[in-house]
Amino acid sequence: MKLPYRPEIDGLRAVAVASILLFHADIAVFGGHLAPGGFLGVDVFFVISGYLITGIVTGELNAGSFSFAQFYERRARRILPALVLVMAACFPAAWLWATPEQLANLSRSALANAFFAANFFFWSDAGYFSESILVKPLSHTWSLSVEEQFYAVFPAFLVVVFRRRLSVPVTFGAIAVASLALGQGLSRPAPEAGFYLLPTRAWEFLAGAFLAVMEARFGRKSTPILDHAAPALALALLALAFHRFDGATPHPALPTLVPIGATMALIWFTGRRDAVTALLSSRAFVGVGLVSYSLYLWHQPLFAFARLYAIDRPGTAAYLALMALAGGLAYLSWRFVEQPFRDKAFLSRRAVWASGVIGLAAVAAMGAVGIAGGGFPARIPEVEGMRSLAEGYRTKAGDLCTRDNCRVGDSSVPPSIVLVGDSHAGVLARSLEKALEGSGKSALVLANGDMWVDRYPPFYATGERYQPVLESQQPIVWAPGTRTVILAARYTLRVENTPFDNGEGGVEVLPGTYAGHDEAQKREVLSAIDRATRDLLARGKRVVLVYPIPEVGWDVPGTLRKLAMRGERGPLTTSHEAYRARNERVIRLFDAIPDGPALLRVRPDRIFCDTFVAGRCATHWGPDIFYFDDDHLSVSGADRLVGEIARLAKERWGGLD
C-alpha cells in the first residue's frame, strides 16, 4: 500500500541530512561549532522511518495484503544499491590515500556492513585509542545497521500486535519506555553502547510508529491554533537542539526527548497551510530530501578522505566544496542507481535479491582481502621506525595496561612502585618494565582510569565512570608497601576541556567530546589535582610528578607517511611556546607544590622541546618516532621519558624504589 505523498516529510529529511553534514564538516562560526548537535539528524531520520514504514505496513495489514517478502524486497531496493556503490567506491580512494592501518580498518567496517553489523563494529572500535570517526569513511553506516536490525523484527512484531488486538499505546509505550530508560542508564557508564546499539534506539523508531498507528485509526486531528503554532515551535526546538546538544549531552537519553518530540510534532502538525509546511514543501527542501539517502551515504567518505589526504584540517571553503561534490554525487546515484532499482519494471524481485547478494558478497570479499593483506603496507613508502609504535601500553606478556591493572618488574617481590593515571601513564608501562629489569623491584601500572584526584567534581563529564575506578586505586596507592607513586595524565585536556590547536594547522580531532569548563570549574579541577598530590606527600610517599607531555595536533605516524608519499622529509615539530601557553595553568599548579626530598619533578618538554630543534618540540628524530598518534608517546618516546625518570630517581633516591 502506498501512502499519500507528503512533500514536507522530504523537507524534514533535508533538515536532518543538512544537520548531519554541518556536524561532520566541523565548520566554526564565531569561534564555535555551527551545529554541535547535528548528529541528532540521525534521530530525526529514525522517527521519520518509523512513521512511514509503519504507515505502509499497517495499511497493508488492514487491507489483508501484507507480505514479508514484499516488505524486505522494498527494503533491499531502497537500501542496497547505493550502499554497495558507495562502499565499493571507498576502496580505490583508500588504496591511494589511507595508511595500512586505515585501509585495514575500512576493510573491517565494510565486512561488518555486508552483514548489517556496522554498529557493533564501530561500538567495539570506539575505544580510547581508536582513530577518530571523522577519518573513517564508513563510520556513518552504523545507523543503517541499526535501522535494518529494527526492521528485521518489527514487521513480525506489528503482525502480532494487530492479530492479537493488543493496545498500541500500552505495547509501544512499554517497549519505548524500557528502551529510553536503558539509554539513560547507559549514558554515563557506557555511552558508546547506548549510542550504537538498537535496544537504546528502538524508542525513536517507535515514536514515529506510534504516530502512524494513531493517524490510521483517528486521523491527524488538530486545531487551527495548533496548526500554525505547533510546527513553528517544533522547528525552533529542533534547531535549538542542533545548536545546544554536544558530546557531553547524555544521548540517547532523557534530553533526547526534545528533538524526538519536536520531530513528532513536525510530522503530526505539518501538511496544512502554515509557514513551516510551506518552507519544508519548497522545491529546494524537497529536492534535498529526495536525495537525502544518497547524500548521507556520500558525504562522510568525501569528508574522511579529504582529511586523510590533507596535512592540516580542511577549512570552510574546502568543506563547502565537498558538500557541493556530495550533492552532485547524491543526485547522480539517486537518478541512476536508486530510482532504477526501485522500479519493478526495470528489475524483478529475483534480480533485486541476486544483485544485492552479489554486491554485498563483493564488498565482503574486498573487506576480507584488505584485512588479510593488513592494509597492504608495501603500496606506500616505508617510513623508518614506524613499527611497534603503539606497544608501550602493553607488557611483554601482552597485558593491556589501559584496560587492566598491570604488574611489571620482578614478580617475586611485592610492588613498591605505582604508576597511576590515564593513557598517558599507560603508554609508559613497557618502558617502566624495561627500566626495572634486574633491579629486584616491581611496580603496578594503574592506567585504566583518569587522572589522580581526591574526588571528581560533580560536573566532570566522565566522573561517574571513573570515580569507582579511583576509589579502587586509592587503597593500593595509599598502602604502606607503596613507596613511590608516579603520576602521569593528560591534565590540561581535563582542565581546559578543549582539543589542542598547535596554531600551525594541526588541530586535534575530538568532535563533540568535550564541553568547556568555566573559570570556576577549571579552578575546581585544578584544586582536586593539587589536593590529591599534596596528600600523597603528606602520607610519606615519594612522588614523581610528570608534567604535561607535549601535544602535537597532527597524527604523527599518519602525517609522516603523508609527507613521505609526497616526497617531503622535513622534520615535524610544534612550537615550544605553544606548549607553554597551552599548559600554563597546570605548570603553574605543579610549580607551586613545595619542593622537598620526596618530590621529583619530571618535565617532558625538556626532553622533546629545545633539544632537537631550537624553539620547537620534536615528534621524531632520525629513525626514532616519539608518538604513535597526536598526543600519546610511542615506545621510543616513552623510553626517553622513563629513562629521565630513572636518572633523576637515581640522583635523588639512589634509584626507583
Side-chain angles (χ1 to χ4, degrees), residues 359-423:
L360 290 176
V363 169
M366 286 188 280
V369 170
I371 295 168
F376 300 100
R379 68 194 161 81
I380 63 175
E382 180 64 28
V383 176
E384 192 177 7
M386 195 64 78
R387 300 182 182 184
S388 301
L389 290 178
E391 289 303 304
Y393 53 89
R394 289 189 184 273
T395 65
K396 288 182 180 178
D399 298 327
L400 180 59
C401 300
T402 51
R403 183 187 62 199
D404 303 307
N405 296 340
C406 292
R407 176 84 172 270
V408 298
D410 188 344
S411 59
S412 66
V413 298
S416 59
I417 305 164
V418 174
L419 168 61
V420 63
D422 60 7
S423 57

Side-chain angles (χ1 to χ4, degrees), residues 193-466:
F195 187 88
Y196 284 110
L197 301 185
L198 173 61
T200 57
R201 294 286 186 170
W203 70 279
E204 299 178 348
F205 293 98
L206 289 172
F210 177 81
L211 292 180
V213 174
M214 292 299 101
E215 181 178 348
R217 291 189 179 180
F218 307 111
R220 284 192 297 124
K221 296 181 178 180
S222 182
T223 67
I225 294 176
L226 285 176
D227 286 347
H228 288 83
L233 178 61
L235 188 60
L237 283 174
L238 192 58
L240 182 65
F242 292 154
H243 180 66
R244 298 293 295 176
F245 273 60
D246 57 31
T249 308
H251 172 75
L254 290 175
T256 317
L257 285 168
V258 174
I260 296 301
T263 304
M264 293 175 71
L266 285 167
I267 292 172
W268 190 265
F269 291 106
T270 54
R272 300 174 178 93
R273 297 184 177 182
D274 62 279
V276 172
T277 296
L279 175 67
L280 295 179
S281 301
S282 64
R283 188 172 182 178
F285 275 73
V286 171
V288 174
L290 288 172
V291 303
S292 59
Y293 175 59
S294 282
L295 183 56
Y296 180 77
L297 287 177
W298 280 111
H299 86 279
Q300 174 61 13
L302 291 175
F303 289 2
F305 284 118
R307 295 181 183 109
L308 288 176
Y309 177 78
I311 300 295
D312 300 331
R313 183 174 67 176
T316 298
Y319 278 123
L320 292 176
L322 290 169
M323 287 182 187
L325 178 58
L329 291 173
Y331 173 77
L332 292 175
S333 60
W334 172 78
R335 176 68 178 81
F336 297 107
V337 179
E338 286 191 64
Q339 292 295 93
F341 273 82
R342 293 185 200 178
D343 185 356
K344 294 182 179 181
F346 174 76
L347 212 62
S348 68
R349 177 183 295 177
R350 180 175 295 180
V352 166
W353 287 116
S355 59
V357 170
I358 291 171
L360 290 176
V363 169
M366 286 188 280
V369 170
I371 295 168
F376 300 100
R379 68 194 161 81
I380 63 175
E382 180 64 28
V383 176
E384 192 177 7
M386 195 64 78
R387 300 182 182 184
S388 301
L389 290 178
E391 289 303 304
Y393 53 89
R394 289 189 184 273
T395 65
K396 288 182 180 178
D399 298 327
L400 180 59
C401 300
T402 51
R403 183 187 62 199
D404 303 307
N405 296 340
C406 292
R407 176 84 172 270
V408 298
D410 188 344
S411 59
S412 66
V413 298
S416 59
I417 305 164
V418 174
L419 168 61
V420 63
D422 60 7
S423 57
H424 278 211
V427 296
L428 306 179
R430 177 71 68 87
S431 300
L432 181 60
E433 186 175 32
K434 287 188 288 187
L436 292 177
E437 286 180 356
S439 68
K441 308 293 181 184
S442 73
L444 280 176
V445 180
L446 311 180
N448 60 341
D450 201 68
M451 57 185 177
W452 181 253
V453 293
D454 58 348
R455 186 170 186 83
Y456 293 105
F459 58 82
Y460 198 72
T462 54
E464 289 184 17
R465 184 192 305 188
Y466 289 124

